[in-house]
Amino acid sequence: KGWVWTFSASGDQPGGDMDLVSGSWDNTVKFWRITSSELKETRKPVNLKVAVLATDIHETRVVAGTYDKKVILMDTREDVKKMTFFKCHTKPVLAVKITERQVISLSEDQ
């Protein structure tokens, strides 16, 4: 419904499948699986109630950066109520990266 502003893919899965996460101006983070024959949503979208400007995925962990200056951490296996919100910037979060041990975020506020 809204512009897709960001998307990120995980590493290759067995069989060549790939997980993808997208964020958009309609306030949603969507979860996808790409196979050799299709692209399909793997779970219900998460509505963050604010534009999603950045996403990244590492295995089952997803991070999103939002226009309202938050970094949101979630696990694709967990319910939406298990998300963790961090307000660590004074301007919109423009980029995020998640690794095995770290979550890194970037904003115009430095």
Side-chain angles (χ1 to χ4, degrees):
K1 294 183 179 185
W3 296 352
V4 173
W5 192 258
T6 178
F7 68 91
S8 302
S10 65
D12 289 339
Q13 307 280 329
D17 295 355
M18 185 180 297
D19 289 328
L20 179 85
V21 62
S22 65
S24 67
W25 278 93
D26 70 357
N27 306 336
T28 60
V29 174
K30 293 184 179 179
F31 305 87
W32 309 87
R33 168 81 33 93
I34 302 171
T35 68
S36 60
S37 61
E38 68 180 347
L39 169 68
K40 71 176 192 173
E41 284 191 74
T42 56
R43 67 177 279 179
K44 185 177 176 183
V46 174
N47 188 330
L48 297 179
K49 300 184 177 149
V50 65
V52 181
L53 304 180
T55 56
D56 196 27
I57 184 170
H58 178 73
E59 296 175 354
T60 61
R61 296 181 314 142
V62 173
V63 64
T66 62
Y67 185 77
D68 70 346
K69 310 162 196 128
K70 291 182 185 145
V71 174
I72 298 143
L73 199 55
M74 56 190 102
D75 191 307
T76 59
R77 302 166 297 179
E78 297 284 344
D79 188 73
V80 209
K81 296 175 185 171
K82 299 275 187 169
M83 293 186 295
T84 306
F85 293 79
F86 299 94
K87 185 145 186 184
C88 44
H89 292 284
T90 58
K91 293 190 178 180
V93 179
L94 303 175
V96 290
K97 178 70 178 166
I98 189 167
T99 67
E100 190 172 316
R101 293 189 176 145
Q102 297 178 319
V103 174
I104 302 162
S105 62
L106 175 72
S107 173
E108 290 179 354
D109 64 5
Q110 304 172 2

